[in-house]
Amino acid sequence: DIDNDLKTYMCLNRKAHDHRKLMYDQLMQEKLLDDGHVSFHARQKNITHLIPNEYEPKSFGRSVDSLVDKETWNSHFLHIVTETVWCGKMQNDVFISEKTLKPIVGHKPFVILAGPNHYRLLHDLGFDTFDDIFGNGYDTDNLNKTINWIIDLIKFLNKENKVALYK
């Protein structure tokens, strides 16, 4: 149920963790906020269904099966997951929250700002992380390199026919 007027991405951030601040600031600096549905703590843009003082879309709850309203969900191509924690290569602990599972349940291509071990675990569990389309810019312990990879991906997708790519 997608149409031709897709936003390039959705990136929702409720709590102001440092890696999320860096991602948001880079989106703003590169003038890419209008290309997506973005929320960030007290600074939100293009998301109109907000719970007062919580900066979270009404139906975007913390359970894995809650998505934004169907119209908003179907109006973007790429889901940018900014996980709860950033873990570099040297950290073996991986924390996968409902944020990672939402695009899987919602049938959206996704990238994750979480660190390479996050992706390794998803691969071990049999999940496709679209490396053939998006590359593997996540495979670094450098947060700024990962953010730049996501920014470059957004710029690439801005030029593509996202409906055709989705199908």
Side-chain angles (χ1 to χ4, degrees), residues 144-160:
N144 289 318
K145 285 184 180 179
T146 304
I147 290 172
N148 288 334
W149 165 64
I150 294 171
I151 294 295
D152 289 343
L153 179 58
I154 292 168
K155 290 176 181 179
F156 165 77
L157 291 172
N158 277 343
K159 300 174 190 171
E160 296 296 309

Side-chain angles (χ1 to χ4, degrees), residues 73-86:
W73 186 256
N74 289 336
S75 69
H76 76 286
F77 174 77
L78 178 71
H79 197 79
I80 300 172
V81 177
T82 55
E83 253 303 351
T84 304
V85 293
W86 161 265

